[in-house]
Amino acid sequence: MNIFYRLGLLSLCFFLFQNCGSFEKAEVDNFYSYNEPPDFYYDLKLLRVELDQNQRQRYTFDLAMSYAHDPDQSITYQVLFSTLDISGVCRGQDGTADDDTKHVRLECLIPVEDRLFLQLTLLGPRDEEVVRQYSF
Amino acid sequence: MKYIFFAILFFFAIPSFSQEVTVVSHYPESAFVENRMLPFTVQGESVQSVISVITQGNDSCSTMVDPYYNTIFHLYCREEGVVDLAVTIASDDLFDSFISINNLRIRMEAEPGQENDEEDPFNEDRERPF
């Protein structure tokens, strides 16, 4: 077979199949954490844990929340703190989240070094409810 | 003359639509911090869905349309900075709408909470605290 014919055939194959490789999987940031249509969007962050002179731990949290179906709608929230041994170790916080109050700071001072548990409850205008528990 | 008339109609139609479409943040600006998913709802009578959201100015930012609510999109930035958004919206009108949101400031905070989803503390053989 003519060498030029072979080279031509090789080149043709090269150009025909050069895009047949597997597609690279698109890189998608997986920051979405809801497994079903959420009634609320919320995010709780532990900002810091400070130890005071009496060896008490001060936890500071940052909470953002909203009604998923209508961002203009207010919701009700409740936060409870506990350790494994002491329920209500800190004063809980509740209120109505509306406009600027959809972003709140929470603090809890626990007397001994221990794990802290936090329960967040959100209530919507149509009796929607979500209860989420965290441990730190 | 006919084309001029339609051209005028066209240019009047675009601003009239864009005035009806608003982007509302679910969180106040004080909550715009790094490593937080920030939801936004596109509101308007003729709004059908968010087609795409493009970020500019902060390479650490990502966006996505909510998989359950097609008029909601999310912004997530891993680092502080200023970011611009270009939102393309499908509407009942003839043309898609385009909205730009400029100078969204994402601020820095402490590390996210050490929430532990995998290790459920309430599965321990101890009484639930709540």
Side-chain angles (χ1 to χ4, degrees):
Chain A
M1 195 182 292
N2 191 321
I3 185 67
F4 294 108
Y5 180 73
R6 286 183 181 180
L7 282 174
L9 199 62
L10 198 66
S11 302
L12 185 64
C13 289
F14 175 76
F15 284 114
L16 280 178
F17 296 108
Q18 65 176 341
N19 289 326
C20 292
S22 60
F23 288 98
E24 289 197 16
K25 193 176 180 182
E27 189 175 326
V28 177
D29 285 312
N30 190 20
F31 56 80
Y32 193 85
S33 58
Y34 302 94
N35 297 320
E36 56 186 20
D39 290 318
F40 307 93
Y41 294 117
Y42 54 94
D43 181 55
L44 178 77
K45 288 187 186 306
L46 172 62
L47 291 184
R48 53 189 166 270
V49 182
E50 297 164 315
L51 209 62
D52 69 4
Q53 64 272 22
N54 297 321
Q55 300 301 303
R56 295 178 300 181
Q57 288 182 301
R58 182 185 299 277
Y59 285 78
T60 305
F61 297 95
D62 187 90
L63 173 65
M65 56 202 148
S66 175
Y67 188 53
H69 307 288
D70 182 1
D72 299 322
Q73 183 72 53
S74 61
I75 60 173
T76 304
Y77 70 95
Q78 181 190 52
V79 178
L80 297 174
F81 296 99
S82 178
T83 62
L84 281 172
D85 300 319
I86 309 171
S87 183
V89 64
C90 300
R91 179 185 290 182
Q93 186 168 330
D94 53 41
T96 300
D98 190 6
D99 295 332
D100 287 343
T101 56
K102 289 191 286 187
H103 179 215
V104 294
R105 288 284 166 92
L106 310 164
E107 283 198 347
C108 180
L109 187 67
I110 59 175
V112 291
E113 192 170 332
D114 200 352
R115 292 178 74 181
L116 179 67
F117 296 87
L118 186 154
Q119 178 173 284
L120 169 67
T121 304
L122 299 175
L123 298 169
R126 296 178 209 151
D127 295 331
E128 302 95 333
E129 182 181 34
V130 64
V131 180
R132 186 82 192 275
Q133 293 171 333
Y134 302 83
S135 69
F136 301 94
Chain B
M1 192 65 190
K2 184 171 66 178
Y3 297 110
I4 295 172
F5 173 74
F6 279 113
I8 292 171
L9 261 185
F10 174 78
F11 285 111
F12 274 100
I14 289 177
S16 67
F17 173 76
S18 58
Q19 284 169 6
E20 295 170 1
V21 178
T22 54
V23 176
V24 179
S25 169
H26 280 253
Y27 297 156
E29 285 184 22
S30 62
F32 288 8
V33 297
E34 60 189 27
N35 296 313
R36 169 171 284 160
M37 190 184 85
L38 304 173
F40 296 84
T41 290
V42 180
Q43 294 178 332
E45 288 184 4
S46 56
V47 170
Q48 285 185 338
S49 63
V50 177
I51 298 174
S52 68
V53 185
I54 298 170
T55 63
Q56 192 173 26
N58 188 339
D59 293 338
S60 76
C61 295
S62 306
T63 60
M64 66 175 289
V65 179
D66 192 288
Y68 302 110
Y69 306 117
N70 58 9
T71 58
I72 296 177
F73 69 89
H74 302 280
L75 170 69
Y76 184 92
C77 296
R78 294 183 304 277
E79 295 172 6
E80 65 174 332
V82 177
V83 63
D84 298 332
L85 302 179
V87 187
T88 308
I89 300 153
S91 70
D92 293 332
D93 293 355
L94 187 59
F95 303 102
D96 293 336
S97 182
F98 179 83
I99 289 182
S100 63
I101 304 167
N102 298 322
N103 299 321
L104 278 181
R105 176 165 293 281
I106 308 298
R107 295 180 298 176
M108 187 178 68
E109 273 191 2
E111 290 297 313
Q114 300 164 0
E115 177 194 345
N116 195 343
D117 288 335
E118 295 174 2
E119 182 191 348
D120 182 3
F122 303 104
N123 285 335
E124 296 177 4
D125 294 325
R126 301 175 72 172
E127 191 176 343
R128 283 173 177 258
F130 297 108

